Amino acid sequence: MVEDEHLLDQAIDLYLTGLKGLGSFVSEPSAAFFLSFEQYLILHNIVHHPGVKLMDIAKDRAVTRSAVSRQLKVLLTNHYVIQKKDPVDRRRQSLVATSEGIRVEKQITQRIKKRFSNWLTIFGMKRGAQLLDLLSEFNQQIVQANTERDESK
């Protein structure tokens, strides 16, 4: 039991000092363009899949359409994305990146790749892969399994 408490204290400390900082570390490249990391990911999807529909993004991300719509609003306001009406069904709209959106997405992607490359240089390719494998396993066995249990209640 004492060992469990020690591990809990260590987990809390890691969360407060490391994992919260990881969020800032990941989101910094997109923040320079007044975008959250989630908004960047949506822009990235639109740039690489011109004509994608809002409902497709929501399905891929396993979130509601309204959640994507809130993120999309910023992309539309900044003129990074436009909506085009479907010529067959004018109620449906596809999403297309503007030239400014494409430029911004490319710059953010370059910054993210450079940041990740620097991280691997410091941490090492092997240890980086091990860390990502371990986090992926933790996500599947603990986080996702817990989410599925909560949803089935």
Side-chain angles (χ1 to χ4, degrees):
M1 187 70 172
V2 172
E3 190 174 314
D4 286 358
E5 289 179 16
H6 174 70
L7 286 176
L8 175 60
D9 290 344
Q10 189 178 358
I12 290 169
D13 185 54
L14 178 61
Y15 171 73
L16 291 174
T17 60
L19 295 179
K20 287 173 82 175
L22 182 61
S24 297
F25 179 84
V26 167
S27 64
E28 188 277 330
S30 57
F33 295 91
F34 308 104
L35 296 178
S36 70
F37 190 66
E38 290 290 323
Q39 291 160 346
Y40 158 73
L41 291 175
I42 292 170
L43 177 60
H44 182 78
N45 188 331
I46 294 167
V47 166
H48 293 279
H49 301 96
V52 67
K53 308 267 189 289
L54 184 146
M55 65 183 180
D56 297 328
I57 295 172
K59 183 179 176 186
D60 289 345
R61 302 181 74 62
V63 297
T64 64
R65 290 188 312 211
S66 62
V68 173
S69 185
R70 283 190 298 275
Q71 301 292 344
L72 189 59
K73 187 175 183 178
V74 174
L75 298 174
L76 291 164
T77 300
N78 287 322
H79 307 288
Y80 296 155
V81 171
I82 59 170
Q83 293 177 312
K84 289 192 172 183
K85 292 193 184 296
D86 185 318
V88 177
D89 183 351
R90 306 220 14 105
R91 295 170 295 175
R92 294 175 52 108
Q93 295 186 346
S94 60
L95 300 165
V96 179
T98 63
S99 57
E100 179 67 2
I102 293 168
R103 184 188 68 76
V104 165
E105 185 275 340
K106 185 176 184 178
Q107 286 188 357
I108 295 171
T109 298
Q110 287 172 343
R111 289 176 181 199
I112 289 170
K113 286 180 178 180
K114 182 178 181 187
R115 189 165 258 226
F116 187 71
S117 179
N118 289 342
W119 175 76
L120 286 178
T121 299
I122 293 166
F123 205 63
M125 185 73 75
K126 183 178 178 183
R127 288 178 62 209
Q130 289 171 336
L131 175 64
L132 293 175
D133 288 344
L134 185 61
L135 289 172
S136 179
E137 185 177 339
F138 180 83
N139 181 47
Q140 291 171 358
Q141 291 182 13
I142 307 299
V143 177
Q144 297 303 318
N146 192 47
T147 302
E148 290 169 6
R149 279 193 299 274
D150 288 349
E151 291 174 354
S152 67
K153 289 181 183 179

